[in-house]
Amino acid sequence: MRRLLPVDEWAWDETLFAGSAAHYGVGRMPYPPSVAEAVAEALGGAGTGRLLDVGCGPGSLTIPLAPLFASAVGIDADPDMLAEAGRLADRAGVSNVEWCHLRAEDLPADLGTFRAVSFGQSFHWMDRDLVACRVRGMLSPDGAWIHVGGTTHRGAVDATHSAPPWHRIDELVTRYLGPVRRAGRGTLPDGTRSGEEIVMRRAGFAGPSRIVVTDDRIVERDIDEVVSAVFSLSSSAPHLFADRLGAFELELRHLLTEATATGRFSERLGPIEVVIWRPT
């Protein structure tokens, strides 16, 4: 039986989001346009310089930010995520992005200098001290580190709308995968690491400035989209269920069907935080 690594031994491995790429663009709610607007206002000079998006996944942040720059590079360690990013960029008409199969820890990888380097809910999966130091050396003197954080697989708590039964979904995942959060071949019993501000200051960054973007729109989603939201998570990525994947999905769909008479759910978008650091 394979031993699962606890958080203090956890290390990234290639199975972290195995099987999740196709679900990401379907199950995750997109960042609202006001996120790109906030970044544009904070940085100024729209349409100039280069953007590097680190741990870009399927381009969830790269695609909306790329039009603010002359060119962009998205890097990710998962080739399936990059294939999905290319497909979604083509669909969105965004053509100024180069997609690179690369771990953040392998930067700078001769990619050059950037006006901005962004992380969309990805930094916590990396060797943060190493990546922060290497990224600092890739920023232009007037450059910026942009960290965008928020919960995009589910909406904010709002009793006035018929949200998916997330508590029951979590219970179902626990019944199949156990009570300790799974992550690739390891576990994260206490969740992902905190202390980002200490890491950033240690690497020679000043700040941060914080912008909280709120969007009161209501997003409607059907059962397929909620299923994809579940499979988009590292803690319930398809590979974790092994030969029980079909049984889990069948139960999940039954649970969701029982929870809605219309086959649809509605959720209010949650707040998104844009955190900007500058090299000293």
Side-chain angles (χ1 to χ4, degrees):
M1 181 176 179
R2 185 173 64 195
R3 185 174 73 93
L4 297 177
L5 297 176
V7 68
D8 58 350
E9 298 179 51
W10 185 86
W12 178 90
D13 68 71
E14 68 277 3
T15 70
L16 184 59
F17 284 97
S20 293
H23 293 286
Y24 223 95
V26 177
R28 297 290 183 112
M29 292 179 280
Y31 292 117
S34 45
V35 168
E37 293 167 6
V39 171
E41 183 175 351
L43 298 186
T48 64
R50 303 171 70 215
L51 167 72
L52 173 64
D53 190 25
V54 183
C56 65
S60 306
L61 184 60
T62 331
I63 293 169
L65 291 188
L68 303 178
F69 300 85
S71 64
V73 177
I75 70 166
D76 201 275
D78 187 326
D80 291 338
M81 287 288 189
L82 293 171
E84 187 70 2
R87 186 185 71 82
L88 294 175
D90 288 344
R91 191 172 76 181
V94 174
S95 58
N96 67 334
V97 184
E98 176 187 0
W99 306 103
C100 296
H101 184 208
L102 185 71
R103 285 194 66 193
E105 289 81 359
D106 294 329
L107 291 170
D110 295 324
L111 291 179
T113 302
F114 294 85
R115 180 166 162 252
V117 178
S118 59
F119 295 76
Q121 305 176 66
S122 60
F123 188 47
H124 55 275
W125 294 120
M126 303 168 187
D127 181 332
R128 297 180 302 171
D129 282 290
L130 175 64
V131 172
C133 287
R134 292 189 174 179
V135 164
R136 185 182 181 280
M138 299 174 71
L139 282 167
S140 60
D142 62 343
W145 168 301
I146 304 166
H147 185 188
V148 176
T151 301
T152 54
H153 75 282
R154 61 191 289 179
V157 176
D158 185 342
T160 63
H161 295 93
S162 54
W166 288 111
H167 180 68
R168 293 178 62 196
I169 293 170
D170 292 342
E171 288 178 340
L172 180 62
V173 171
T174 296
R175 181 152 60 82
Y176 273 80
L177 299 181
V180 180
R181 177 177 170 177
R182 300 284 294 276
R185 295 188 179 97
T187 62
L188 291 173
D190 300 314
T192 54
R193 295 162 296 176
S194 59
E196 178 182 308
E197 290 197 11
I198 296 172
V199 171
M200 296 299 291
R201 292 196 174 94
R202 193 157 54 210
F205 285 88
S209 58
R210 300 179 183 272
I211 306 165
V212 177
V213 174
T214 57
D215 192 319
D216 290 331
R217 286 180 300 162
I218 303 300
V219 176
E220 287 203 355
R221 298 199 284 174
D222 60 23
I223 288 173
D224 288 342
E225 290 169 318
V226 177
V227 169
S228 282
V230 175
F231 286 142
S232 76
L233 298 169
S234 62
S235 57
S236 51
H239 75 96
L240 294 174
F241 298 92
D243 58 0
R244 303 178 74 198
L245 177 61
F248 170 78
E249 183 171 347
L250 190 64
E251 283 202 59
L252 175 59
R253 288 184 178 277
H254 180 69
L255 186 161
L256 294 172
T257 299
E258 284 190 328
T260 173
T262 63
R264 301 190 69 81
F265 300 94
S266 61
E267 295 181 280
R268 187 179 300 278
L269 289 173
I272 303 294
E273 184 178 48
V274 180
V275 181
I276 299 176
W277 294 85
R278 303 277 185 174
T280 55

